[in-house]
């Protein structure tokens, strides 16, 4: 979106037309981003609506933000994970969790996760640290750059190289099915 910075500034000032423009531009993208992770269309609609309500309520915090789209994706992923965790906690005694119904998928997940962790350990230290700050501490590119005394461009490059390395490592050493990859994309994106 070419005029995103201007729209975010207008949004912070309470401009409803800027909010509407952002909504109509990003709502379908957020919807498509969440779709592979759940077949529950009502849940996706609820999550996207919740996120855009939060955007309006916290509109002042978005001034000057880069990559607003990725911020929305992160909000969507976090909200979806929160819902999944909440559903897991609400199981009645004696109910079997969804993961127990498919033990082979659970085993594949463990194997894949071990493979990912192995790939992370094999990265050069600087790349591994930057990757872990992003994925485990949920730090922004700017926060990582400040923490590591490097530029944001270096952080982006290292994250790209880390993701590429993990994908190629998995292709080389793993036998992974696509469902498992989607599940782990939620965790590592």
């Amino acid at each position: 979106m070419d005029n995103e910075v201007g729209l975010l500034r207008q949004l912070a000032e309470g401009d409803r037309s800027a909010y509407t423009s952002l909504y109509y531009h990003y709502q379908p993208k957020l919807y498509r981003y969440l779709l592979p992770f759940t077949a529950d269309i009502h849940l996706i609609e609820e999550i996207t609506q919740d996120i855009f309500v939060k955007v309006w309520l916290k509109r002042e915090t978005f001034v000057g933000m880069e990559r607003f789209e990725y911020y929305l994706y992160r909000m969507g992923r976090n909200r979806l994970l929160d819902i999944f965790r909440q559903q897991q906690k609400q199981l009645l005694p004696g109910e079997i969790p969804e993961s127990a119904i498919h033990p082979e998928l659970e085993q594949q997940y463990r194997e894949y996760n071990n493979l990912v962790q192995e790939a992370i350990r094999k990265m050069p230290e600087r790349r591994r640290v930057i990757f872990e700050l992003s994925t485990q501490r949920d730090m922004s590119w700017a926060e990582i750059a400040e923490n590591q005394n490097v530029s944001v461009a270096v952080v982006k490059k290292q994250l790209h190289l880390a993701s590429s390395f993990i994908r190629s490592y998995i292709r080389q050493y793993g036998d992974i099915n696509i469902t498992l990859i989607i599940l782990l994309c939620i965790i590592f994106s």
Side-chain angles (χ1 to χ4, degrees), residues 118-136:
E118 185 178 311
I120 292 169
R121 284 190 300 274
K122 291 188 181 225
M123 286 184 209
E125 183 178 357
R126 179 188 207 180
R127 186 173 304 152
R128 181 184 49 75
V129 168
I130 288 172
F131 182 78
E132 288 173 345
L133 290 172
S134 176
T135 59
Q136 295 172 8

Side-chain angles (χ1 to χ4, degrees), residues 14-157:
D15 186 330
R16 291 180 188 272
S17 65
Y19 174 80
T20 302
S21 295
L22 289 165
Y23 177 84
Y24 283 114
H25 181 77
Y26 287 118
Q27 188 275 342
K29 291 182 176 196
L30 181 59
Y31 186 95
R32 283 190 302 274
Y33 172 79
L34 294 171
L35 194 56
F37 305 121
T38 179
D40 188 342
I41 292 180
H42 298 294
L43 178 62
I44 294 172
E45 289 171 356
E46 179 184 329
I47 290 171
T48 57
Q49 292 303 316
D50 287 350
I51 287 171
F52 279 97
V53 167
K54 287 180 184 175
V55 165
W56 178 256
L57 295 174
K58 297 181 177 189
R59 61 189 174 273
E60 295 87 12
T61 63
F62 301 116
V63 174
M65 176 180 277
E66 293 180 21
R67 309 268 181 171
F68 181 65
E69 180 174 1
Y70 296 123
Y71 180 80
L72 293 174
Y73 293 159
R74 182 172 285 178
M75 287 177 68
R77 180 200 69 202
N78 290 344
R79 182 68 183 118
L80 189 60
L81 287 172
D82 288 344
I83 290 169
F84 287 159
R85 285 184 198 116
Q86 187 178 24
Q87 289 173 347
Q88 196 71 11
K89 286 180 184 176
Q90 291 178 349
L91 288 175
L92 297 173
E95 275 188 297
I96 300 171
E98 185 78 22
S99 60
I101 296 172
H102 304 288
E104 67 282 348
L105 186 58
E106 185 83 15
Q107 178 61 30
Q108 283 181 324
Y109 172 81
R110 277 195 295 280
E111 289 172 11
Y112 180 78
N113 190 40
N114 290 338
L115 197 58
V116 168
Q117 295 306 318
E118 185 178 311
I120 292 169
R121 284 190 300 274
K122 291 188 181 225
M123 286 184 209
E125 183 178 357
R126 179 188 207 180
R127 186 173 304 152
R128 181 184 49 75
V129 168
I130 288 172
F131 182 78
E132 288 173 345
L133 290 172
S134 176
T135 59
Q136 295 172 8
R137 290 202 188 160
D138 211 21
M139 293 173 75
S140 70
W141 293 343
E143 291 169 331
I144 296 168
E146 184 178 328
N147 180 279
Q148 296 295 301
N149 295 320
V150 296
S151 69
V152 172
V154 168
V155 171
K156 290 180 189 179
K157 177 77 171 172

